[in-house]
Amino acid sequence: MARIIIVDDYKDLQDFFKDMLELNHFEVRSAGSAVELDTLLTTFMPDLILLDVMLGADNGTKICKEIKEKYKEIAIILISANPKLLINYQDCNADDIIEKPFDMYEVLDKINKLLNK
């Protein structure tokens, strides 16, 4: 069973992703900040992270770059409602992007493609 971490400061979105992904047989944890993510990574090593670019005081692209430097094998999909923030997603070594609002079938398709490569 593939493992996914959802990183978003909006609890309702965390819960939505968690429910949807668990229904599709993923093991899911969530975090609302960079500090929570760092703590979670000590006990739960994911195959993929869904990472919001705007995390209150935290910068998702900076977090992405730091994670990829330490854990190259973890796939990361950046999420944002602002398409301008996703344009240069490769610069922080993200594997893909999702623009809000999103289609859940597209999200599942992107996750499955990254996990099956």
Side-chain angles (χ1 to χ4, degrees):
M1 180 181 300
R3 304 171 107 197
I4 297 176
I5 294 178
I6 302 147
V7 186
D8 198 297
D9 56 348
Y10 188 57
K11 180 72 168 126
D12 288 344
L13 192 57
Q14 285 180 24
D15 293 342
F16 173 78
F17 270 123
K18 188 173 189 312
D19 291 344
M20 186 273 306
L21 293 169
E22 285 177 345
L23 284 172
N24 285 276
H25 311 289
F26 293 102
E27 186 176 353
V28 183
R29 301 290 185 277
S30 59
S33 67
V35 171
E36 287 180 27
L37 176 60
D38 285 343
T39 302
L40 187 55
L41 286 171
T42 64
T43 60
F44 184 85
M45 189 53 56
D47 300 295
L48 184 138
I49 297 174
L50 292 173
L51 177 59
D52 192 15
V53 173
M54 301 296 290
L55 284 171
D58 298 321
N59 179 327
T61 56
K62 182 179 176 210
I63 295 167
C64 179
K65 194 170 191 168
E66 291 169 358
I67 290 170
K68 284 296 202 170
E69 287 173 1
K70 191 172 182 181
Y71 307 104
K72 291 177 182 20
E73 69 281 1
I74 297 175
I76 298 178
I77 299 176
L78 292 178
I79 303 170
S80 181
N82 184 343
K84 291 178 182 177
L85 297 176
L86 298 171
I87 291 172
N88 297 319
Y89 72 94
Q90 299 97 337
D91 291 350
C92 63
N93 300 317
D95 297 283
D96 208 340
I97 58 172
I98 295 171
E99 191 177 321
K100 296 176 188 175
F102 50 82
D103 175 277
M104 278 317 302
Y105 295 108
E106 179 186 354
V107 172
L108 287 171
D109 186 49
K110 287 181 180 226
I111 289 170
N112 286 320
K113 282 182 182 174
L114 284 172
L115 294 178
N116 292 323
K117 69 177 181 178

